[in-house]
Amino acid sequence: METTQTKIRETSQFQLPVTNKPSVSGYDIYPVFSIPDGTITIGYDTLAKELAQYKCVKIDGYVGIRFDDVKQQLNDAFLAMGQEPTWINIESALKPKHEIDEMIAPFLGGDDPVFGKITTLELSDFYNASALNELCSPQHEGGMVIYYGIGAHMLPVEAKMVYFDISKNEIQFRSRAGSVTNLGAGDAFDPKKMYKRFYFIDWLVLNKHKNNIKTAIDYLVDGQRTDEITWTTGNTWRDSIAKLSKSPIRVRPWFEPGVWGGSWIKDKIEGLEKDVPNYAWSFELIVPENGIIIESAGILLEYSFDFLMYNAGKNVLGTDFDTYKYEFPIRFDFLDTFDGGNLSIQCHPQMEYMKQHFGESITQEETYYILDKKDDALVYLGFQENINPDAFKQALEHSADNAVALNINDYVQAFKANKHDLYLIPPGTIHGSGENNLVLEISATPYIYTFKMYDWVRLDMDGKPRPINIDRGMENLDFERKGDRVSAELISSPEVIETGDDWTLEHLPTHANHLYDVHRYSIGTEVRVATNQKAHVLSLVEGEHIEIIVNGESAVFAYAETFIIPAACNHYIIKNKSDKPALVVKSFIK
Ligand SMILES: O=P(O)(O)OC[C@H]1O[C@](O)(CO)[C@@H](O)[C@@H]1O
């Protein structure tokens, strides 16, 4: 059903299958955590049948859920059973649009096309409290009543609670089609502006709400598909999270084209739509936007990573939970420039700037691990010895104002990219990957705070130039990262720190301003690792498959797959499943 709106998604990415994910021997785009057979169910009709036993139901859900479609589908199913519930839309109690616009303005960064400030608002701030109460008046006593819409759980009535979740990539695909709106917005608008509002307001407000209601959910529904749902009971779901939080966790990766995107992902990863210009990013583990797929007898249900942290964050982060709480602080993603282009020459904010301007508590600091590359590939990193900040600024402004190219090599150094080298990009470092790399970014979680300073005088895929931020960049750059200091301090020098029968453990030291460190195992047959009460993030960067054994249970991961070992696993064994040595990188909080 593509219902009243003809186009619900604007993307060439496939929807998550309902059942029977394709089987692949290598990198799997639909990793699953299996739960007992018979615990996930398909369909609005089965959900209606389950809910029909209750007098009162609340259907809550995340922004991006098309509640009118949900209502129509469920209502049809109830009617087919001879039942006619009364439907009450909680969003009729939202504050007027102009009041909401005024309330959220301080968090939207004015005309800034990209940046706002992390909101401090709560979901209840969007609603008129007395109007909410009126919705619950006793006039509805009698037949079955269903309250529905974002925040339905807030209504002060006893009811069974259903929660519709949706993955963040699908929210973006829907916003690009104009088929969903921001919280309290009324209408859809430019998708980039909608994204800014999702990122700085809606997702935060609704994540807090998710945390508040996590134990009250009676039924969890995966609402990402346009014509079908899958659902499970709250208890089954919470039990599965308790188990997952002591097992290896691989989130569902997702992929996006971009102006500098390349061919590596498209050529090497099975099951993706190939009819795209390129893939630039793989969201391997950018957890604010990843989901986790659970599977029961082949039926798939995805929920947001946030729910894992709200339910079992302490198991995941161990001793670091007290510092980071629900924010998983490490990010892994791919930047694919194979036969593509150069990233912008860019920098990321210093910690203080990040706090003050954007309200974030972790800054965006990065490293580039070169997973693959062509012979001519470069990494732009650090300044030339003779850098003059004023002259650099002038050259950038001249280029931006007149759309003329500049010789960036006069200012910024370029290093030959070496496979398996780790390039360090602490906050305030000028950098950018050149073309013909497959970079595994091992980074801190924030991912949108890029100050592009030079974008090679090119247009984005929508035909418009990408926003340049020379002033913000200048406020954050460290001009002392120049000359010989760059290769000495910003290209990690591995050292062997432990050896076994047929394995070695290397330390790839990161910069003092990085919150995480990097280790690399070279494994002949197997190695046993202790978590020491910390989360580990692993990726197989050379080899075919590895098996991870935790408490006697085994999971297999393929080349280029990223996964988390929660702190609560305590110990795990990595077994090499191929006849060549396996190289596994491991990142963890310092
Ligand atoms: O800004 P560009 O040129 O698209 O660069 C790639 C982007 O991908 C990231 O590495 C991760 O999102 C950002 O740091 C950066 O903005």
Side-chain angles (χ1 to χ4, degrees), residues 1 3-4 8 43-45 47-48 51 57-62 64-78 85 87 146-150 162-166 174 221-229:
M1 180 204 73
T3 58
T4 47
I8 293 177
Y44 283 97
D45 50 344
L47 183 61
L51 297 179
V57 172
K58 297 177 193 170
I59 301 183
D60 199 334
Y62 210 66
I65 291 295
R66 290 164 47 90
F67 280 96
D68 287 340
D69 290 353
V70 169
K71 174 188 164 187
Q72 190 187 321
Q73 297 263 24
L74 271 177
N75 201 46
D76 288 350
F78 280 120
W87 289 84
I146 303 178
Y147 298 93
Y148 70 103
I150 295 176
V162 183
Y163 190 86
F164 273 68
D165 207 4
I166 178 168
R174 289 180 180 198
V221 183
D222 179 351
Q224 73 181 286
R225 302 175 187 91
T226 52
D227 54 357
E228 194 55 283
I229 54 168

Side-chain angles (χ1 to χ4, degrees), residues 190-204:
D190 169 44
K192 287 187 177 156
K193 285 194 184 146
M194 286 183 75
Y195 183 85
K196 183 169 75 162
R197 185 159 158 178
F198 284 135
Y199 184 94
F200 286 99
I201 299 167
D202 301 2
W203 290 349
L204 297 158

Side-chain angles (χ1 to χ4, degrees), residues 384-551:
Q384 300 289 5
E385 177 62 41
N386 64 354
I387 185 72
N388 173 331
D390 293 336
F392 181 53
K393 182 168 188 254
Q394 266 178 29
L396 293 171
E397 285 172 345
H398 179 75
S399 162
D401 294 346
N402 302 291
V404 289
L406 65 80
N407 189 0
I408 199 73
N409 301 78
D410 289 347
Y411 308 93
V412 178
Q413 298 192 54
F415 295 89
K416 194 172 179 307
N418 289 319
K419 203 167 166 173
H420 297 301
D421 272 4
L422 183 70
Y423 299 83
L424 309 179
I425 308 166
T429 306
I430 194 85
H431 70 283
S433 166
E435 62 188 31
N436 288 332
N437 279 316
L438 194 274
V439 175
L440 171 63
E441 278 198 298
I442 300 178
S443 299
T445 297
Y447 52 103
I448 67 161
Y449 299 96
T450 299
F451 304 144
K452 299 188 212 316
M453 307 203 66
Y454 179 60
D455 203 20
W456 309 94
V457 203
R458 70 184 154 194
L459 302 177
D460 201 355
M461 294 171 93
D462 61 5
K464 297 181 194 146
R466 304 195 300 169
I468 299 284
N469 269 296
I470 298 171
D471 288 339
R472 287 194 193 272
M474 290 301 293
E475 288 177 71
N476 284 280
L477 279 173
D478 184 339
F479 284 94
E480 292 308 311
R481 295 193 184 127
K482 63 175 181 176
D484 292 343
R485 281 186 62 183
V486 177
S487 51
E489 295 174 18
L490 300 184
I491 302 179
S492 185
S493 304
E495 40 176 322
V496 173
I497 52 172
E498 242 182 285
T499 49
D501 294 345
D502 64 351
W503 59 266
T504 56
L505 170 61
E506 290 169 286
H507 181 203
L508 279 60
T510 56
H511 188 270
N513 292 354
H514 282 121
L515 65 86
Y516 45 84
D517 216 339
V518 176
H519 281 173
R520 181 171 57 205
Y521 291 94
S522 172
I523 307 163
T525 50
E526 66 175 55
V527 61
R528 183 178 153 88
V529 186
T531 64
N532 296 323
Q533 283 310 301
K534 283 182 168 296
H536 291 176
V537 181
L538 273 63
S539 177
L540 177 60
V541 294
E542 197 74 66
E544 280 165 27
H545 289 95
I546 46 175
E547 184 181 4
I548 302 291
I549 301 171
V550 181
N551 294 325

Side-chain angles (χ1 to χ4, degrees), residues 248-453:
I249 302 167
R250 181 152 179 257
V251 302
R252 177 189 175 192
W254 63 282
F255 306 84
E256 272 289 296
V259 67
W260 42 258
S263 60
W264 196 98
I265 289 174
K266 206 164 139 175
D267 289 348
K268 299 231 173 16
I269 295 186
E270 263 183 84
L272 289 175
E273 172 61 88
K274 302 289 174 186
D275 187 17
V276 286
N278 60 57
Y279 285 111
W281 290 272
S282 165
F283 280 53
E284 290 299 298
L285 185 78
I286 305 190
V287 292
E289 298 198 22
N290 287 120
I292 290 167
I293 308 173
I294 47 177
E295 173 267 342
S296 162
I299 305 172
L300 308 181
L301 180 150
E302 182 175 356
Y303 61 87
S304 67
F305 187 91
D306 307 305
F307 266 139
L308 166 73
M309 294 306 288
Y310 296 141
N311 281 290
K314 176 92 189 159
N315 278 357
V316 177
L317 284 180
T319 48
D320 293 310
F321 180 73
D322 292 342
T323 309
Y324 295 102
K325 294 282 180 295
Y326 307 114
E327 275 192 84
F328 188 83
I330 297 177
R331 150 169 71 97
F332 275 39
D333 59 79
F334 290 139
L335 307 173
D336 178 358
T337 65
F338 256 69
D339 307 311
N342 300 320
L343 267 64
S344 62
I345 300 299
Q346 54 183 264
C347 85
H348 304 298
Q350 303 283 357
M351 190 61 244
E352 273 315 305
Y353 191 96
M354 188 75 152
K355 262 192 209 147
Q356 193 191 334
H357 291 256
F358 310 125
E360 293 269 9
S361 53
I362 304 176
T363 196
Q364 181 165 338
E365 28 100 337
E366 303 184 328
T367 68
Y368 286 173
Y369 188 95
I370 307 298
L371 194 87
D372 203 354
K373 53 120 206 173
K374 289 192 177 181
D375 285 346
D376 59 350
L378 300 173
V379 171
Y380 293 90
L381 187 66
F383 288 111
Q384 300 289 5
E385 177 62 41
N386 64 354
I387 185 72
N388 173 331
D390 293 336
F392 181 53
K393 182 168 188 254
Q394 266 178 29
L396 293 171
E397 285 172 345
H398 179 75
S399 162
D401 294 346
N402 302 291
V404 289
L406 65 80
N407 189 0
I408 199 73
N409 301 78
D410 289 347
Y411 308 93
V412 178
Q413 298 192 54
F415 295 89
K416 194 172 179 307
N418 289 319
K419 203 167 166 173
H420 297 301
D421 272 4
L422 183 70
Y423 299 83
L424 309 179
I425 308 166
T429 306
I430 194 85
H431 70 283
S433 166
E435 62 188 31
N436 288 332
N437 279 316
L438 194 274
V439 175
L440 171 63
E441 278 198 298
I442 300 178
S443 299
T445 297
Y447 52 103
I448 67 161
Y449 299 96
T450 299
F451 304 144
K452 299 188 212 316
M453 307 203 66

